[in-house]
Amino acid sequence: MADEHKEKGELEATKEKEEKGEECTSCKSDQEVVFIQDLGFNVKVAAPGVEPFDIQVSSMELVQEIHQLLMDREDTCHRTCFSLQLDGATLDNFAELKTVEGLKEGSLIKVVEEPYTMREARIHVRHVRDLLKSVEPLDAYNGVDCASLSFLNAVTGGDIMEKRRTRADPVDCTPPDFIMPGSSSEKDTPILPLHPGLKEQPTKLNCLKVLTPSGWNPPPGYRKLHGDLLYLQVVTMEDKHYHITASTRGFYINHSTEEEFNPKAASPSYLSHSLIELLNQVSSTFKRNFALLQKRRTSRHPYERVPTPYQIYSWIGPQLDHNIDAIRAEDAFSSKLGYEEHIPGQTRDWNEELQTTRELPRKNLPERLLRERAIFKVHSDFVSAATRGAMAVIDGNVMAINPGEEAKMQMFIWNNIFFSLGFDVKDHYKDLGGDAAAYVAPRNDLQGVKVYNAVDLEGLFTLGTVVLDYRGYRVTAQSIIPGILEREQEQSVVYGSIDFGKTIVTHSKYLDLLQKAGNQLKILPHKVMNEKGEEVELCSSVECKGIIGNDGRHYILDLLRTFPPDVNFLKVEGVELSKEATALGFPVEHRHKLSCLRQELIDAFVESRYMMFIKCAAVQLQQLTIRKQINDVPQITNEKQEEKGKDSEKEKEGEMEEDEAKRIVESMTDSITSGEKQDMEDSTKEIVKKAANAVGSLKETEFDIRFNPDVFSPGVVHPEPNGEAYKKQCQLVKDAADFLLTAQIPAFIRDCLDHSTAPMDGATLADAIHNRGINMRYLGKITGMLQKVPQLEYVHTIAANELVMRATKHIFTSYLQGLDMLSLACAVSHFLNCLLSSCPNPSTTVPDQLNSKKRSRNKSKNKAKQSPLTPSDSVEWATLTPKALWSQIRTECKSYFDWELTYDNMDAFVEGLQITKVMILRSFCMKAGVQILLREYNFDNKQQQTFTDDDVINMYPIVKHISPRATDAYNFYTTGQSKIQQGFLKDGYELISEALNLLNNVYGAMHPEIAQCLRMLARLNYIMGDHVEALSCQQKAVLMSERVNGLEHPYTITEYTHLALYCFANTQVSTALKLLYRARYLALLVCGENHPELALIDSNIGLILHAVGEYDISLRFLEKALSLNQKYHGVKSLKVAVSYHLVARTQSCMGDFRSALANEKETFTIYKTQLGEDHEKTKESGECLRHLTQQAVVLQKKMNDIYQGKSKTGLPPIQIQPPSMGSVLDMLNIINGILFVQISQQDIENFKKEYEIRQKGGSKTEESTEIKKEIEDLTASLDSQSIKS
């Protein structure tokens, strides 16, 4: 198997070479083979003071990773300053283990304490500080150091993998009241359970009162010469004060006090190499608590501890204790980022790092992995640096580089990153929509950076770009092109225009690079006129600029109009839109003229036009061949034939299958190349020309659809505005915008109808809409269409809620801009009260310093225009009322999204859509970057307002950036998926496991894509019968999804339901229920009860409760599931049939045979109409009906006997057998879409061989197609579940 596997890896790695047309000889490069067989082996480690222990390492690891491991292990975590030695030779930290001579299975590595340096001593103190706070959730709530929350183990009450080893737990199954069906409509879903276990957290282990650098730092010259590095001050829990010296040999206690400096060693001095060993000696409390703390730290799952690649913020959190932490204080005011002291030369040159990683070689798999890992690492560091910088800029902690200008126009440089604000500086965007345009430009620019990065063309560079929204301001952070600050922009730009097309320059190297990229992005090289009337050739939009940096690299920036404009949102003189568009009310005049189409739309449009082209050509070809056959007959018939041909052409075009069309066209091209007769060639040219014209291709000789991004641009002059070519270009752009309306929006609605996409909240809705290439500005129109489809009521609710929230965010953004820091908390809580409280006129107290100025309210109104960053003393915000806010929201919905908000106030809106205010609160906080206090809020009290200023505990940035991909891993994953679809589970499993390795190699331990991969592996393990492995993978998937997607992200909810199924399969019944209750609670919080996902969760809960005999509660969940399935899948669907059956089963167990019969009849009817009389499902249901009728008859007879006084005994107990766990599991598998044939691994292997032999024999018998069908069913159900995300 290993060999097979190896080849597969190579295949993947060499496929790309072949595509590039390089010579690919049969001798594969050895390097790759080695890589795929990444060897794992054990080595022994001997550290001072502990028994030697074994660790497992892999040949690819760096020596440094052993270092990290030792600093994390419970018994060696207190060491930071040591080297590793093998046979007396010190190992190089940055060497890969496979390059270390003599290192093999069982080698002994010694840990040797090294003398400290100033830097090592500081790192050691910081490490001790990190160990002391390692179990606190502080960082996660504050959103620092890439910490985030995870509550899986709090929900299950400990690690489920551990539980497997202990005996089964007693089953307590009663669901909490707030998740019972129907409870959320009566009152709001509670918020506290979102962060379970905060109340019952184990007592806080305090090890020290204070550990801080002493005021005596740095050591004076004469003490430096004695080896003093730094001084610390410690107050132990026993209230003893110590001053400690860090010297090159280690840490010891000195004689200094707060008032007097005396660096002499105390006696005893307790000299220790590690600070922790020293503290263990001077404080018994420290010794005891530190040991407990480390136990607690290492007992947590690694996935609860490792940092995430990007910071996740929590929208809700408790009021945390603020403790003394000098290191945190130091970090806050230094521009360095935590551990950056590791890097020589202090601040990082971000641009150099970002571009150098892009230039790394990428010929084979190991090189690509190395390159992608470097790109990803530098990028995530850059994002966190940019985030810190942007917050510092808005918080007023950075000096502007142009301090003389008004605040709007200021730009900043911090830590080698350039920051600018999203306002229209110098009327740059005057013709395009002023500030509104300046606000969206960075977002569009980021899209441009994203697509050019994805093309990944050698020699073309983009800037590191991050766009942040924080406290009402949009900040763009960019890496700095070397040399750009020393010269004026006019001098640096060698391509493009800095004044929107008045002066334009071009450059042959740029044209060459951009044309290569443009072929993939479907951008057309075109000419535009500058103000002197000269033609200039470009291959991008006019304002895209090319600058050659001092490092000689070709940079492109200002990619805000990479894609063609969206004419549905532009009012252009003399441009007529199609009937369909005008019927929908387009064109709508948008706030800015920067509306562009999305890349996904362009791709879908080109793809659909290509299919049209092929079909059109194929139809004509067929006629040509018919014609040739009739050619001998006199001319007259020929003409008639032609006419007939024309009529039938249209019909045929519609009917022809795509594959057939492709086949015909291929044969045509073959005949051209084989050089058949001249006339054949001429007629084919004619055919291509016709087809090309039919699809609006730019060339007549071939299929060519590319876009000119400058059409309809205000201010851009085109060479021949009335020429044929330009008209074609304009037409294509209009067609694409039309395609969005006539094909993509209906396609999205179809996706929802056939449940291939089922968004749960605004974010997943936006993803689904974007995947179809539709911009969010169409949301108003989409919501209008959804309203007409009763089956999609739940999507309509999410969409309407999203519209209101987006409108609210726009208003909130400008509301925040005039605020003084002093009144932020009051203003935000006042806004929340106006939005959500039922109190008709919430009042707010303006902070004292503003009171004296309260009288001048009217004067300050016109002052607010001045500049956004200077705190205005205006208290205008305090005058906002719920009524005024709601009318602003209505206006905004209409003007931005062209959507009528018909409800008169928030309460009516919530009532009408059947949602809860908690859902709105969550959505608003996540969009606006507000963190509120974790407590229950009362929204219904008309006398008392809901929020106070103490409820707003933080504001955090909303960060947008590109996400570098792991391409090889992605290829492995998709190949694995298609293998599974073909029924080769084992091969698919291997490929997907390999994909997981590659993902870990590129992204590290945590990433949304890794969570998805783990979910897939868990599912495969489950299908292949390895329930324990499935549980283990899925547990990781849940932990990871909580950490990287968020606690209540829809993906996390799905992960919870899957984990519950595998828990049940591992006989952890009560844990399975706890997980399902959690999933249902999260779903209620996110989307409320009316959602198809809840039908699935409720069926699961009902089934398991039925299994443990809780029939009454079970029935409530199953009936809810039934009504949801009827609503969203239609009364005739098979899902509804299963629901009826489950309800009937439970009712029969309760002895209610009459209702059970009625429900089972429904099941039978659906099966009969959908599947036919003879289907096994129909027969099963029939059996069930007979059985129930019998039971009912027996019962009735007994009852009659009693009434007639024949029998004296009273009712006999009804014989009800609780279902076996096995049968419940089968049923669970069915409702979760896991259909599998119960076969052993061996059977699968044999069957595969047989199948392959048959395939070769070519006799496809009935049987093989049957089995193939089974496997396809299995994978189809797999896909619809797993691949959705």
Side-chain angles (χ1 to χ4, degrees), residues 494-497 504-512 514-515 523-530 534-542 544 706 708 710 717 719:
V494 296
Y495 169 90
S497 159
I504 310 168
V505 281
T506 188
H507 188 284
S508 57
K509 177 74 175 148
Y510 271 106
L511 279 176
D512 175 43
L514 286 169
Q515 191 162 349
I523 300 170
L524 178 76
H526 56 280
K527 294 193 166 62
V528 288
M529 315 277 281
N530 62 16
E534 303 155 342
E535 288 189 12
V536 185
E537 185 174 6
L538 293 175
C539 187
S540 62
S541 63
V542 173
C544 165
R706 283 176 295 168
N708 173 348
D710 279 327
V717 187

